Coordinates of all heavy atoms in Angstrom, one line a residue:
I1 N 104.7 97.5 106.6 CA 104.4 96.9 107.9 C 102.9 97.1 108.2 O 102.4 98.2 108.0 CB 105.3 97.6 109.0 CG1 106.7 97.4 108.8 CG2 104.8 97.1 110.4 CD1 107.7 98.1 109.7
L2 N 102.3 96.1 108.7 CA 100.9 96.2 109.2 C 101.0 96.1 110.8 O 101.4 95.1 111.3 CB 100.0 95.1 108.7 CG 98.6 95.0 109.2 CD1 97.9 96.4 109.1 CD2 97.8 93.9 108.6
L3 N 100.6 97.1 111.4 CA 100.5 97.2 112.9 C 99.1 96.9 113.4 O 98.2 97.7 113.0 CB 101.0 98.5 113.4 CG 100.9 98.8 114.9 CD1 101.6 97.8 115.7 CD2 101.4 100.2 115.2
M4 N 98.9 95.9 114.1 CA 97.6 95.6 114.7 C 97.7 95.8 116.2 O 98.3 95.0 116.9 CB 97.2 94.1 114.5 CG 96.8 93.8 113.1 SD 96.2 92.1 113.0 CE 96.5 91.7 111.3
E5 N 97.2 96.9 116.7 CA 97.4 97.3 118.1 C 96.2 98.3 118.5 O 96.0 99.3 117.8 CB 98.7 98.0 118.3 CG 98.9 98.6 119.6 CD 98.9 97.7 120.8 OE1 99.7 96.8 120.9 OE2 97.9 97.8 121.6
D6 N 95.5 97.9 119.5 CA 94.4 98.7 120.0 C 94.8 99.8 121.0 O 94.0 100.7 121.2 CB 93.2 97.9 120.5 CG 93.6 97.1 121.7 OD1 94.8 96.7 121.8 OD2 92.8 96.8 122.6
D7 N 95.9 99.8 121.6 CA 96.4 100.8 122.5 C 96.9 102.0 121.7 O 98.0 101.9 121.1 CB 97.5 100.2 123.4 CG 98.0 101.2 124.4 OD1 98.0 102.5 124.1 OD2 98.3 100.8 125.5
Q8 N 96.1 103.0 121.6 CA 96.4 104.1 120.7 C 97.7 104.9 121.2 O 98.4 105.4 120.3 CB 95.2 105.1 120.6 CG 94.1 104.4 119.8 CD 93.0 105.3 119.4 OE1 93.1 106.5 119.5 NE2 91.9 104.7 119.0
E9 N 97.9 105.0 122.4 CA 99.1 105.7 122.9 C 100.4 104.9 122.5 O 101.3 105.5 121.9 CB 99.1 105.8 124.4 CG 100.3 106.6 125.0 CD 100.3 106.7 126.5 OE1 99.2 106.5 127.1 OE2 101.3 107.1 127.1
F10 N 100.4 103.6 122.7 CA 101.5 102.8 122.4 C 101.7 102.7 120.8 O 102.8 102.9 120.3 CB 101.4 101.4 122.9 CG 102.5 100.4 122.5 CD1 103.7 100.6 123.0 CD2 102.2 99.4 121.6 CE1 104.8 99.7 122.6 CE2 103.2 98.6 121.2 CZ 104.5 98.7 121.7
S11 N 100.6 102.5 120.1 CA 100.7 102.4 118.7 C 101.1 103.7 118.0 O 101.8 103.8 117.0 CB 99.4 101.9 118.0 OG 98.3 102.8 118.3
G12 N 100.7 104.8 118.6 CA 101.1 106.2 118.1 C 102.6 106.3 118.2 O 103.3 106.8 117.3
L13 N 103.2 106.0 119.4 CA 104.6 106.0 119.6 C 105.4 105.1 118.6 O 106.4 105.5 118.0 CB 105.0 105.7 121.0 CG 104.6 106.7 122.1 CD1 104.8 106.1 123.5 CD2 105.3 108.0 121.9
L14 N 104.9 103.9 118.5 CA 105.6 102.9 117.6 C 105.5 103.4 116.2 O 106.4 103.3 115.4 CB 104.9 101.5 117.8 CG 105.6 100.4 117.1 CD1 107.1 100.3 117.4 CD2 104.9 99.1 117.4
T15 N 104.3 103.9 115.8 CA 104.1 104.4 114.4 C 105.1 105.5 114.1 O 105.7 105.5 113.1 CB 102.7 104.9 114.2 OG1 101.8 103.7 114.4 CG2 102.5 105.5 112.8
E16 N 105.2 106.4 115.0 CA 106.1 107.6 114.9 C 107.5 107.1 114.7 O 108.2 107.6 113.8 CB 106.0 108.5 116.1 CG 106.7 109.8 115.9 CD 106.4 110.7 117.1 OE1 105.3 110.8 117.6 OE2 107.4 111.4 117.6
V17 N 108.0 106.2 115.5 CA 109.4 105.7 115.4 C 109.6 105.0 114.1 O 110.6 105.2 113.4 CB 109.7 104.8 116.6 CG1 111.0 104.0 116.3 CG2 109.8 105.6 117.9
L18 N 108.7 104.1 113.7 CA 108.8 103.4 112.4 C 108.8 104.3 111.2 O 109.6 104.1 110.3 CB 107.8 102.3 112.3 CG 107.9 101.1 113.3 CD1 106.7 100.2 113.3 CD2 109.2 100.3 113.1
I19 N 108.0 105.3 111.2 CA 107.9 106.2 110.1 C 109.2 107.0 110.0 O 109.8 107.2 108.9 CB 106.7 107.1 110.1 CG1 105.4 106.2 109.8 CG2 106.8 108.2 109.2 CD1 104.1 106.9 110.0
L20 N 109.7 107.5 111.2 CA 111.0 108.2 111.2 C 112.1 107.4 110.7 O 113.1 107.9 110.1 CB 111.3 108.7 112.6 CG 110.5 109.9 113.1 CD1 110.7 110.1 114.6 CD2 110.8 111.1 112.3
E21 N 112.0 106.1 110.9 CA 113.1 105.2 110.4 C 112.9 104.8 108.9 O 113.7 104.0 108.4 CB 113.1 103.9 111.3 CG 113.6 104.1 112.7 CD 115.1 104.6 112.7 OE1 115.9 104.1 111.9 OE2 115.4 105.4 113.6
G22 N 111.9 105.3 108.3 CA 111.7 105.2 106.9 C 110.8 104.0 106.5 O 110.7 103.7 105.3
F23 N 110.0 103.4 107.4 CA 109.1 102.3 107.1 C 107.8 102.9 106.6 O 107.3 103.9 107.1 CB 109.0 101.4 108.3 CG 110.2 100.6 108.6 CD1 111.0 101.1 109.6 CD2 110.5 99.5 107.9 CE1 112.2 100.4 109.9 CE2 111.7 98.8 108.2 CZ 112.5 99.2 109.2
S24 N 107.1 102.2 105.8 CA 105.8 102.4 105.4 C 104.9 101.6 106.3 O 105.1 100.4 106.5 CB 105.5 102.0 103.9 OG 104.2 102.2 103.6
L25 N 103.8 102.2 106.9 CA 103.1 101.5 107.9 C 101.6 101.7 107.7 O 101.1 102.8 107.4 CB 103.5 102.1 109.3 CG 102.9 101.4 110.5 CD1 104.0 100.6 111.2 CD2 102.3 102.4 111.4
A26 N 100.8 100.6 107.9 CA 99.4 100.7 108.1 C 99.0 100.3 109.5 O 99.7 99.4 110.0 CB 98.7 99.8 107.0
H27 N 98.0 100.9 110.1 CA 97.7 100.6 111.5 C 96.2 100.3 111.5 O 95.4 101.1 111.0 CB 98.0 101.8 112.4 CG 97.5 101.7 113.8 ND1 96.8 102.6 114.4 CD2 97.7 100.7 114.7 CE1 96.5 102.2 115.6 NE2 97.0 101.0 115.8
V28 N 95.8 99.3 112.2 CA 94.4 98.9 112.5 C 94.3 98.7 114.0 O 95.2 98.4 114.7 CB 94.0 97.7 111.7 CG1 94.0 97.9 110.2 CG2 94.8 96.5 112.1
L29 N 93.0 98.9 114.5 CA 92.7 98.9 115.9 C 92.1 97.6 116.4 O 92.0 97.4 117.6 CB 91.8 100.0 116.3 CG 92.4 101.4 116.1 CD1 91.3 102.5 116.2 CD2 93.6 101.7 117.0
D30 N 91.7 96.7 115.5 CA 91.1 95.4 115.9 C 91.5 94.3 115.0 O 92.0 94.5 113.9 CB 89.6 95.5 116.1 CG 88.9 95.7 114.8 OD1 88.9 94.8 114.0 OD2 88.3 96.8 114.6
G31 N 91.3 93.1 115.5 CA 91.8 91.9 114.8 C 91.0 91.7 113.5 O 91.6 91.2 112.5
M32 N 89.7 91.9 113.4 CA 88.9 91.7 112.2 C 89.4 92.6 111.1 O 89.6 92.2 110.0 CB 87.4 91.9 112.5 CG 86.6 91.5 111.3 SD 86.7 89.8 110.8 CE 85.8 89.0 112.2
E33 N 89.6 93.9 111.4 CA 90.1 94.9 110.5 C 91.5 94.5 110.0 O 91.8 94.6 108.8 CB 90.1 96.3 111.1 CG 90.4 97.3 110.1 CD 90.5 98.7 110.7 OE1 90.3 98.9 111.9 OE2 90.8 99.7 109.9
G34 N 92.3 94.0 110.9 CA 93.6 93.6 110.6 C 93.6 92.4 109.7 O 94.4 92.3 108.7
W35 N 92.8 91.4 109.9 CA 92.6 90.2 109.1 C 92.3 90.6 107.7 O 92.8 90.2 106.7 CB 91.6 89.3 109.7 CG 91.1 88.2 108.8 CD1 89.8 88.0 108.4 CD2 91.9 87.2 108.2 NE1 89.7 86.9 107.6 CE2 91.0 86.4 107.4 CE3 93.2 86.8 108.2 CZ2 91.4 85.3 106.7 CZ3 93.6 85.7 107.4 CH2 92.7 85.0 106.7
E36 N 91.3 91.5 107.5 CA 90.8 92.0 106.2 C 92.0 92.7 105.5 O 92.2 92.5 104.3 CB 89.6 92.9 106.4 CG 88.4 92.2 106.9 CD 87.9 91.1 105.9 OE1 88.0 91.2 104.7 OE2 87.3 90.1 106.4
K37 N 92.7 93.6 106.2 CA 93.7 94.3 105.5 C 94.9 93.4 105.2 O 95.5 93.5 104.1 CB 94.2 95.5 106.5 CG 95.2 96.4 105.8 CD 95.5 97.6 106.5 CE 94.4 98.7 106.4 NZ 94.3 99.4 105.2
A38 N 95.2 92.4 106.0 CA 96.3 91.5 105.7 C 96.0 90.7 104.5 O 96.9 90.3 103.7 CB 96.6 90.6 106.9
R39 N 94.7 90.3 104.3 CA 94.3 89.5 103.1 C 94.3 90.3 101.9 O 94.5 89.8 100.8 CB 92.9 89.0 103.4 CG 92.9 87.8 104.3 CD 91.5 87.2 104.5 NE 90.5 87.8 103.6 CZ 89.2 87.5 103.6 NH1 88.8 86.7 104.5 NH2 88.4 88.0 102.8
S40 N 94.0 91.6 102.0 CA 93.9 92.5 100.8 C 95.1 93.2 100.3 O 95.1 93.7 99.2 CB 92.8 93.5 101.0 OG 93.2 94.4 102.0
Q41 N 96.2 93.2 101.1 CA 97.4 93.9 100.7 C 98.6 93.0 101.1 O 98.5 92.2 101.9 CB 97.5 95.2 101.5 CG 96.4 96.2 101.1 CD 96.6 97.5 101.9 OE1 97.7 97.9 102.3 NE2 95.4 98.2 102.1
D42 N 99.7 93.3 100.4 CA 101.0 92.6 100.7 C 101.8 93.4 101.8 O 102.0 94.6 101.6 CB 101.8 92.5 99.5 CG 101.2 91.5 98.5 OD1 100.6 90.6 98.9 OD2 101.4 91.7 97.3
F43 N 102.2 92.7 102.8 CA 103.0 93.3 103.9 C 104.2 92.5 104.1 O 104.2 91.2 104.0 CB 102.2 93.4 105.2 CG 101.1 94.4 105.1 CD1 99.8 93.9 104.9 CD2 101.3 95.8 105.3 CE1 98.7 94.8 104.8 CE2 100.2 96.7 105.2 CZ 99.0 96.2 105.0
D44 N 105.4 93.1 104.4 CA 106.6 92.4 104.7 C 106.7 91.9 106.1 O 107.4 91.0 106.5 CB 107.8 93.2 104.4 CG 107.9 93.5 102.9 OD1 107.6 92.6 102.1 OD2 108.3 94.7 102.5
L45 N 106.0 92.7 107.0 CA 106.0 92.4 108.4 C 104.7 92.7 109.1 O 104.0 93.7 108.7 CB 107.1 93.2 109.1 CG 107.2 93.1 110.6 CD1 107.7 91.7 111.0 CD2 108.1 94.2 111.2
L46 N 104.2 91.9 110.0 CA 103.0 92.1 110.8 C 103.4 92.2 112.2 O 104.1 91.4 112.8 CB 102.1 90.9 110.6 CG 100.8 90.9 111.5 CD1 99.9 92.1 111.1 CD2 100.1 89.6 111.3
V47 N 103.1 93.4 112.8 CA 103.3 93.6 114.3 C 101.9 93.4 114.9 O 101.0 94.1 114.7 CB 103.9 95.0 114.6 CG1 104.1 95.1 116.1 CG2 105.2 95.2 113.8
L48 N 101.8 92.3 115.7 CA 100.5 91.8 116.2 C 100.4 91.8 117.7 O 101.2 91.2 118.4 CB 100.3 90.4 115.7 CG 99.1 89.6 116.1 CD1 97.8 90.3 115.6 CD2 99.2 88.2 115.5
D49 N 99.4 92.5 118.2 CA 99.0 92.5 119.6 C 98.2 91.3 119.9 O 97.2 91.0 119.1 CB 98.3 93.8 120.0 CG 97.9 93.8 121.5 OD1 98.4 93.0 122.3 OD2 97.1 94.7 121.8
I50 N 98.4 90.5 120.9 CA 97.6 89.3 121.2 C 96.2 89.7 121.7 O 95.2 89.0 121.4 CB 98.3 88.4 122.2 CG1 99.6 87.8 121.5 CG2 97.4 87.3 122.7 CD1 99.3 86.9 120.3
M51 N 96.1 90.8 122.5 CA 94.8 91.1 123.1 C 94.1 92.2 122.3 O 94.0 93.3 122.6 CB 95.1 91.7 124.5 CG 95.8 90.7 125.4 SD 94.9 89.2 125.8 CE 93.6 89.9 126.8
L52 N 93.6 91.8 121.1 CA 92.8 92.7 120.3 C 91.3 92.5 120.4 O 90.9 91.4 120.6 CB 93.2 92.4 118.8 CG 94.6 92.8 118.4 CD1 94.9 92.3 117.0 CD2 94.7 94.3 118.3
P53 N 90.5 93.5 120.2 CA 89.1 93.4 120.2 C 88.6 92.8 118.8 O 89.4 92.7 117.9 CB 88.6 94.8 120.3 CG 89.7 95.7 119.9 CD 90.9 94.9 120.2
Q54 N 87.4 92.3 118.8 CA 86.8 91.7 117.6 C 87.3 90.3 117.3 O 86.5 89.4 117.2 CB 86.9 92.6 116.3 CG 86.3 94.0 116.5 CD 84.8 94.1 116.8 OE1 84.1 93.3 116.3 NE2 84.5 95.0 117.7
M55 N 88.5 90.2 117.0 CA 89.2 88.9 116.8 C 90.5 89.0 117.4 O 91.4 89.9 117.1 CB 89.4 88.6 115.3 CG 90.1 87.3 114.9 SD 90.5 87.1 113.2 CE 89.0 87.0 112.4
N56 N 90.8 88.2 118.5 CA 92.0 88.3 119.2 C 93.2 87.9 118.3 O 93.1 87.3 117.3 CB 92.0 87.5 120.5 CG 92.1 86.0 120.3 OD1 92.9 85.5 119.5 ND2 91.3 85.3 121.1
G57 N 94.4 88.4 118.8 CA 95.6 88.2 118.0 C 96.0 86.7 117.7 O 96.5 86.4 116.6
Q58 N 95.6 85.8 118.6 CA 95.9 84.4 118.4 C 95.1 83.9 117.2 O 95.5 83.1 116.4 CB 95.6 83.6 119.6 CG 96.7 83.8 120.7 CD 96.3 83.1 122.0 OE1 95.2 82.9 122.4 NE2 97.4 82.8 122.7
K59 N 93.8 84.3 117.1 CA 92.9 83.9 116.1 C 93.4 84.5 114.7 O 93.4 83.8 113.7 CB 91.5 84.3 116.3 CG 90.5 83.8 115.3 CD 90.3 82.3 115.4 CE 89.2 81.9 114.5 NZ 89.1 80.5 114.4
V60 N 93.8 85.7 114.7 CA 94.4 86.3 113.5 C 95.6 85.6 113.1 O 95.7 85.2 111.9 CB 94.7 87.8 113.8 CG1 95.5 88.4 112.6 CG2 93.5 88.6 114.1
L61 N 96.5 85.2 114.0 CA 97.7 84.5 113.7 C 97.3 83.1 113.1 O 97.9 82.8 112.0 CB 98.5 84.3 114.9 CG 99.8 83.5 114.8 CD1 100.7 84.2 113.8 CD2 100.5 83.4 116.2
Q62 N 96.4 82.4 113.7 CA 96.0 81.1 113.1 C 95.5 81.2 111.7 O 95.8 80.5 110.8 CB 94.9 80.5 114.0 CG 95.4 80.0 115.3 CD 94.3 79.5 116.2 OE1 93.1 79.9 116.0 NE2 94.6 78.7 117.2
Q63 N 94.6 82.2 111.5 CA 94.0 82.4 110.1 C 95.1 82.8 109.1 O 95.1 82.3 108.0 CB 93.0 83.5 110.2 CG 91.8 83.2 111.0 CD 91.0 82.0 110.5 OE1 90.8 81.9 109.3 NE2 90.5 81.2 111.4
L64 N 96.0 83.7 109.5 CA 97.1 84.1 108.6 C 98.0 83.0 108.2 O 98.5 82.8 107.1 CB 97.8 85.3 109.1 CG 97.1 86.6 109.2 CD1 97.9 87.6 109.9 CD2 96.8 87.1 107.8
L65 N 98.3 82.1 109.2 CA 99.3 81.0 108.9 C 98.7 80.0 108.0 O 99.4 79.3 107.3 CB 99.7 80.4 110.3 CG 100.6 81.2 111.1 CD1 100.9 80.5 112.4 CD2 101.9 81.6 110.4
F66 N 97.4 79.9 107.9 CA 96.8 79.0 106.9 C 96.9 79.5 105.5 O 96.9 78.8 104.5 CB 95.3 78.8 107.2 CG 95.0 77.8 108.3 CD1 94.4 78.2 109.5 CD2 95.4 76.5 108.2 CE1 94.1 77.3 110.5 CE2 95.2 75.6 109.2 CZ 94.5 76.0 110.3
V67 N 97.0 80.8 105.3 CA 96.9 81.4 104.0 C 98.3 82.0 103.5 O 98.6 82.0 102.4 CB 95.9 82.6 104.0 CG1 95.7 83.2 102.7 CG2 94.5 82.0 104.5
F68 N 99.1 82.6 104.4 CA 100.2 83.4 104.0 C 101.5 82.9 104.8 O 101.5 82.4 105.8 CB 100.1 84.9 104.4 CG 98.9 85.5 103.7 CD1 97.7 85.8 104.5 CD2 98.9 85.8 102.4 CE1 96.7 86.4 103.9 CE2 97.9 86.4 101.8 CZ 96.7 86.7 102.5
Y69 N 102.6 83.2 104.1 CA 103.9 83.2 104.8 C 104.3 84.7 105.0 O 104.5 85.4 104.1 CB 105.0 82.5 104.0 CG 106.3 82.6 104.6 CD1 106.6 81.7 105.7 CD2 107.2 83.5 104.2 CE1 107.8 81.8 106.4 CE2 108.5 83.6 104.9 CZ 108.7 82.8 105.9 OH 110.0 82.9 106.6
I70 N 104.4 85.1 106.2 CA 104.7 86.5 106.6 C 105.5 86.5 107.9 O 105.2 85.7 108.8 CB 103.4 87.4 106.6 CG1 103.8 88.9 106.8 CG2 102.5 86.9 107.7 CD1 102.6 89.8 106.7
A71 N 106.4 87.4 108.0 CA 107.2 87.6 109.2 C 106.3 88.3 110.2 O 105.5 89.2 109.8 CB 108.4 88.4 109.0
M72 N 106.3 87.8 111.4 CA 105.4 88.5 112.5 C 106.2 88.8 113.7 O 107.1 88.0 114.1 CB 104.3 87.5 112.8 CG 103.3 87.2 111.7 SD 101.9 86.3 112.3 CE 101.4 85.6 110.7
L73 N 105.8 89.9 114.3 CA 106.3 90.2 115.6 C 105.1 90.3 116.5 O 104.2 91.1 116.3 CB 107.0 91.6 115.6 CG 107.4 92.2 116.9 CD1 108.5 91.3 117.6 CD2 108.0 93.6 116.7
I74 N 105.0 89.4 117.5 CA 103.9 89.3 118.4 C 104.2 90.2 119.7 O 105.2 90.0 120.3 CB 103.6 87.9 118.8 CG1 103.3 87.1 117.5 CG2 102.4 87.8 119.7 CD1 103.2 85.6 117.7
L75 N 103.2 91.1 120.0 CA 103.4 91.9 121.2 C 102.4 91.4 122.3 O 101.3 91.2 122.0 CB 103.0 93.4 120.8 CG 103.8 94.1 119.8 CD1 103.3 95.5 119.5 CD2 105.3 94.2 120.2
H76 N 103.0 91.3 123.4 CA 102.2 91.0 124.6 C 102.6 91.9 125.7 O 103.7 91.7 126.3 CB 102.3 89.5 125.0 CG 101.4 89.1 126.1 ND1 100.0 89.3 126.0 CD2 101.6 88.5 127.2 CE1 99.4 88.8 127.1 NE2 100.4 88.4 127.9
T77 N 101.9 93.0 125.9 CA 102.3 94.0 126.9 C 101.3 94.0 128.0 O 100.2 93.6 127.9 CB 102.4 95.4 126.3 OG1 101.1 95.7 125.8 CG2 103.4 95.5 125.2
K78 N 101.8 94.4 129.2 CA 100.9 94.5 130.3 C 101.2 95.8 131.0 O 102.3 96.2 131.3 CB 101.2 93.4 131.3 CG 100.3 93.4 132.5 CD 100.6 92.2 133.4 CE 99.7 92.2 134.6 NZ 99.9 91.1 135.5
R79 N 100.1 96.5 131.2 CA 100.2 97.8 131.8 C 100.2 97.6 133.3 O 99.4 96.9 133.9 CB 99.1 98.7 131.4 CG 99.2 99.2 130.0 CD 98.1 100.3 129.8 NE 98.2 100.8 128.5 CZ 98.9 102.0 128.2 NH1 99.5 102.6 129.2 NH2 98.9 102.4 127.0
L80 N 101.1 98.4 134.0 CA 101.1 98.4 135.5 C 100.1 99.4 135.9 O 100.1 100.6 135.4 CB 102.5 98.7 136.0 CG 103.6 97.7 135.6 CD1 104.9 98.2 136.1 CD2 103.2 96.3 136.2
Q81 N 99.2 99.1 136.9 CA 98.2 100.0 137.3 C 98.8 101.0 138.3 O 99.6 100.9 139.0 CB 97.1 99.2 138.0 CG 96.4 98.2 137.1 CD 95.6 98.9 136.0 OE1 95.0 100.0 136.2 NE2 95.5 98.3 134.9

């Protein structure tokens, strides 16, 4: 699983749960790093935040769909102030 999420608190919790469930996970904090990692390694699932720095999640998604067939879970969360 490749997790692209810049919210470190949320990604930390999600990473912990996925690892406890036996999944292998790579985590990146921005879209550009995620794009590079997705191109260089094979992943069964991409968990993608839409609001990423460097390259937003929509752009990452567009780029990946041109090159790969991969299952994706798109996250769009909103924090309440």
Side-chain angles (χ1 to χ4, degrees):
I1 298 173
L2 174 57
L3 171 60
M4 292 188 204
E5 172 60 66
D6 62 326
D7 181 325
Q8 292 190 11
E9 182 180 347
F10 176 72
S11 62
L13 292 171
L14 186 55
T15 297
E16 191 175 317
V17 168
L18 290 171
I19 289 173
L20 283 172
E21 290 296 323
F23 292 98
S24 175
L25 185 111
H27 174 233
V28 296
L29 297 170
D30 68 67
M32 187 61 73
E33 185 182 3
W35 164 241
E36 293 297 326
K37 189 167 282 285
R39 286 185 3 189
S40 66
Q41 297 179 28
D42 290 329
F43 294 96
D44 295 321
L45 177 67
L46 173 64
V47 180
L48 174 63
D49 179 14
I50 293 297
M51 302 296 291
L52 290 169
Q54 304 297 322
M55 179 190 294
N56 71 44
Q58 290 175 328
K59 183 69 173 175
V60 173
L61 179 60
Q62 288 173 341
Q63 296 295 324
L64 288 173
L65 289 176
F66 279 119
V67 180
F68 301 105
Y69 174 78
I70 186 170
M72 295 186 202
L73 174 62
I74 300 169
L75 299 177
H76 186 54
T77 58
K78 182 177 181 179
R79 288 189 177 264
L80 298 175
Q81 298 290 330

